[in-house]
Amino acid sequence: MKNAAAAVKTSLLNQSDTRTIANFYAVQLQFLCREKKYASSAFALVRSIHGNMITSGFRPRSHILNRLIDIYCKNSGLVYAKHLFDRIPQPDVVARTTIIAAYSASGYPKLAREVFNKTPLSIRDTVCYNAMITGYSHNNDGHAAIKLFLDMRWKSFPPDEYTYTSVLAALALIADHEMHCGQLHCAVVKSGMASVKCVVNALISVYVKCASSPIASSVVLMDSASKLFYEMPERDDLSWTTIITGYVKNDDLDAARKVFDGMDEKLLVAWNAMISGYVHKGFIFEALDMLRKMQSAGLKPDEFTCTSILSACADAGLFLLGKQVHAYVRRTEEEIHVSVHNALITLYWKCGRVDEARKVFDNLAFKDLVSWNAVLSAYVGAGRINEAKLFFDEMPEKNSLAWTVMISGFAQNGKGEEALKLFNQMRLHGIELCDYAFAGAITSCAVLAALETGCQLHAQLIQRGFDSSLSAGNALITFYGRSGVIEAARTVFLTMPCVDLVSWNALIAALGQHGYGAQAIELFEQMLNEHITPDRISFLTVISACSHAGLVERGRHYFNIMHSVYKINPGEDHYARLIDLLSRAGRLLEAKDVIQTMPTKPGAPMWEALLAGCRTHRNVDLGVEAAEKLFELTPQHDGTYILLANTFAAAGRWDDAAKVRKLMRDQGVKKEPGCSWIKVENTVHVFLVDDTAHPEIQAVYNYLEELRLKMRKMGYVPDTQYVLQDMEAEQKEYAISTHSEKLAVVFGLLKLPRGATIRVFKNLRICGDCHNAIKFMSKVEAREIIVRDGNRFHHFRDGECSCGNYW
């Protein structure tokens, strides 16, 4: 009996000691959770406490285990937490919920769902469901969150305010119709949660985000959000900022400003939302005014404010103001946020200070991917493509944007081959190809006139589901237009789900280049009728189209309304197009008058357009005057010498033409050799005038002679006025018969299958005799022949050309 009593006494003492030890550990862990100053070393401390438990032989019960798991999860110790969790024979719902939340927060929703599925229905509770729904929401899987919410209700677990807040956040990810918002709104009302502030805030956020959907009625949805907002008995900071941000994102700045002005105490985030909205809409001075009022209210701009203002300065070209903001930030901030530095880089390069942008970048202690991409964009935007490539190669990490910027940079700077090589490297590196990357590659095909490659990219674009992309569609219009397939360009435009001003401009330009001036004008007028405001590029394209088609009065009309109606000041390029329009039509004195009355000093393009007109219409005196101006402006440009020599030759002034050629030699100016090329069986064949290098040139000359005999029978007479030297008639005929475009066309006729379209490209303007000869070739051979010269396209069919002999 004594032994038994002693054993009971010892047991009671051990239980007392165990409780004391358990309470000690519980207090330590609770203290560790509560004291934020230990957060940085919490992981090491919890491991120390846990190790002490193990070495002392203490076996913690569920409440201490759960506390350990919770602290591990919150301090990057998920592996330790899961190891501890797995050693519990029957973990309770608290431990399971903690692990579910930890997996979700770490971006592993599938692992979280595995733990959730293994949680017996008998011990699940609303908090457990909330953790899983929140996990889906935070990992952008709105559909899974909604589905689990429905499962929760079907299994009779009562949703609470946290459930509705999470499920509404999930709905905001996927809702694109007012019906979706209305259904969950009804569920909130029926649950009695319609007066809970956090739930109403989440519901407002759903309506606001759904309003941004292209298929939703933004007005109806924002009205619903506004009604909820104004009916709230009590609003918090989130309520105000959500509704203001909603109006801003849906481009209703007036409504946003009305709500903003109604705030008693305006929060910094609300000021930032309004400033950002004004900047996004291009209301730069309104944004600056908001900044001044914000500072007057005693609020200090933060990194979001500064980023918005710097973006505004960059977009508006307000360089000095941007520098003032830079100085303010340096003066008031000990540590400048990287987003502000990135905005500064963008400001400097957009204002033409690329080297200063690079200096800001070099002084950055921490550079993120945005920083690297900003500098890369700076070099590309400035046309410093070689420096851009070196910088691109130095980048420690390259995302899809960096590859795309570099591809587009090569394409826009005439380096089509490099762009396509980089596009293929991007694919080989496993970088996700986006529609912008395809747009850059397709633009490269336009530069190279690589029709087959571009068509293949078009097919891949469709396969990947990017055929609805606006940027890719615009690139395709330009590509097909510059490759001579104008109907394909038109088809792309008509089948695009949505078009913008760039789309209209691209097709108008393509029609003009192909000689379809009337159709280009018709499309331009259609654009105006659809209330799309033209920009300076629109007028440039339509005036060029009028110039190529000889539609002088229409061209002058568009030039005049550019400023009088649309308040766009004509630039040098617009004046050059107008002078070209008048000069082609032989209205040379009018063209000269335009030059003399320009608001700025005329540049080389104006005088060159006038000289070309003088060559065509044989006005030697005015041509000499234009050439003299060009010799002053661009003394080393070969085109001036060639045009002047042609002008003298056309007038039969052979001595003067010879003097111009001698002057050219004396000045060390070399003429760009005329060359033409054609692609046959994946090989590009290049021909020069009087070519002897091509391996099949003799066969070309033989077939050309056969064609000349047939063409002469149909009325073809060589036009020897395009020979620039005085020689015998027979020699002149031979000289023009060996022009590169003729040789390329004949090679195509020899090599391409019967009925195939011949596509030839030439670096210079096609000469009049070649133009006439190819018309006859198209009739003799019953073939369509397309020639793209330095100015435009010529479509030859059945002895006629699309240009109407006006080019």
Side-chain angles (χ1 to χ4, degrees), residues 510-524:
L511 290 168
Q513 285 178 331
H514 287 264
Y516 302 119
Q519 293 181 32
I521 289 172
E522 183 182 343
L523 189 66
F524 182 78

Side-chain angles (χ1 to χ4, degrees), residues 37 85 111 136 171 224 444 617 619 701 717 729 741 807:
K37 63 182 179 181
F85 176 81
L111 295 176
Y136 280 132
L171 180 63
S224 298
S444 301
H617 298 283
N619 189 325
Y701 283 134
V717 177
E741 53 266 56
W807 82 99

Side-chain angles (χ1 to χ4, degrees), residues 241 245 249 267-280 287-288 290-291 294 299-313 325 328-329 332-333 335-344 368:
T241 54
T245 304
K249 286 185 176 179
L267 306 164
L268 180 59
V269 68
W271 286 97
N272 284 343
M274 287 303 308
I275 291 171
S276 175
Y278 281 129
V279 171
H280 179 70
L288 296 174
M290 288 292 288
L291 175 64
M294 172 182 156
L299 289 173
K300 179 184 175 183
D302 64 2
E303 67 265 22
F304 299 105
T305 321
C306 294
T307 300
S308 292
I309 293 300
L310 287 168
S311 297
C313 294
V325 175
Y328 168 82
V329 171
T332 59
E333 298 293 335
E335 184 176 347
I336 303 175
H337 197 273
V338 68
S339 64
V340 178
H341 272 126
N342 294 340
L344 282 167
D368 63 7

Side-chain angles (χ1 to χ4, degrees), residues 82-137:
K82 186 62 169 61
H83 179 71
L84 192 58
F85 176 81
D86 290 338
R87 298 190 65 176
I88 302 174
Q90 292 182 332
D92 62 14
V93 71
V94 176
R96 294 173 187 271
T97 302
T98 302
I99 289 292
I100 289 168
Y103 272 137
S104 298
S106 300
Y108 303 116
K110 289 183 179 179
L111 295 176
R113 186 59 189 258
E114 287 178 10
V115 176
F116 179 85
N117 289 341
K118 291 177 181 178
T119 304
L121 196 62
S122 59
I123 68 168
R124 287 185 197 176
D125 59 10
T126 297
V127 177
C128 184
Y129 270 97
N130 288 351
M132 195 64 244
I133 291 170
T134 303
Y136 280 132
S137 178

Side-chain angles (χ1 to χ4, degrees), residues 229-230 240 243-244 247-248 253-275 278 290 293-294 299:
F229 173 79
Y230 284 112
W240 288 96
I243 194 70
I244 289 172
Y247 278 124
V248 167
L253 292 178
D254 292 335
R257 186 61 183 266
K258 183 180 177 182
V259 176
F260 177 83
D261 290 340
M263 294 179 71
D264 294 328
E265 184 180 349
K266 296 177 175 62
L267 306 164
L268 180 59
V269 68
W271 286 97
N272 284 343
M274 287 303 308
I275 291 171
Y278 281 129
M290 288 292 288
K293 289 179 179 177
M294 172 182 156
L299 289 173

Side-chain angles (χ1 to χ4, degrees), residues 370-571:
V370 177
S371 315
W372 286 91
N373 285 341
V375 176
L376 181 66
S377 298
Y379 282 129
V380 169
R384 292 161 63 169
I385 198 67
N386 294 330
E387 291 169 273
K389 184 59 170 65
L390 290 173
F391 187 81
F392 177 80
D393 292 338
E394 291 174 11
M395 292 178 70
E397 180 185 356
K398 303 178 184 73
N399 63 355
S400 178
L401 177 61
W403 286 88
T404 301
V405 167
M406 198 65 241
I407 289 166
S408 299
F410 275 138
Q412 292 163 9
N413 285 275
K415 295 180 177 287
E417 289 185 13
E418 289 88 339
L420 289 178
K421 287 178 183 176
L422 201 63
F423 179 79
N424 290 328
Q425 286 177 26
M426 181 180 180
R427 192 186 315 220
L428 291 172
H429 279 78
I431 307 298
E432 184 66 28
L433 294 171
C434 63
D435 54 335
Y436 294 105
F438 272 99
I442 291 166
T443 301
S444 301
C445 293
V447 172
L448 298 170
L451 180 60
E452 292 179 10
T453 304
C455 289
Q456 291 170 4
L457 289 172
H458 189 179
Q460 293 170 25
L461 194 75
I462 295 171
Q463 287 177 344
R464 292 173 179 264
F466 294 146
D467 48 317
S468 61
S469 163
L470 184 60
S471 60
N474 291 341
L476 283 168
I477 294 171
T478 301
F479 159 67
Y480 282 121
R482 294 185 65 177
S483 299
V485 195
I486 188 63
E487 287 307 318
R490 199 195 309 265
T491 300
V492 170
F493 178 85
L494 293 174
T495 56
M496 286 172 67
C498 63
V499 295
D500 62 1
L501 183 59
V502 176
S503 318
W504 290 91
N505 289 347
L507 187 55
I508 292 167
L511 290 168
Q513 285 178 331
H514 287 264
Y516 302 119
Q519 293 181 32
I521 289 172
E522 183 182 343
L523 189 66
F524 182 78
E525 292 293 339
Q526 182 185 341
M527 183 182 85
L528 298 183
N529 291 336
E530 294 189 18
H531 306 292
I532 296 169
T533 305
D535 63 1
R536 64 184 312 279
I537 302 298
S538 308
F539 284 104
L540 204 62
T541 57
V542 77
I543 294 170
S544 294
C546 292
S547 179
H548 286 307
L551 303 170
V552 179
E553 297 309 322
R554 295 295 294 182
R556 293 215 69 155
H557 166 72
Y558 291 130
F559 183 87
N560 292 333
I561 68 169
M562 181 166 50
H563 181 263
S564 63
V565 177
Y566 295 98
K567 309 305 178 187
I568 299 173
N569 291 321

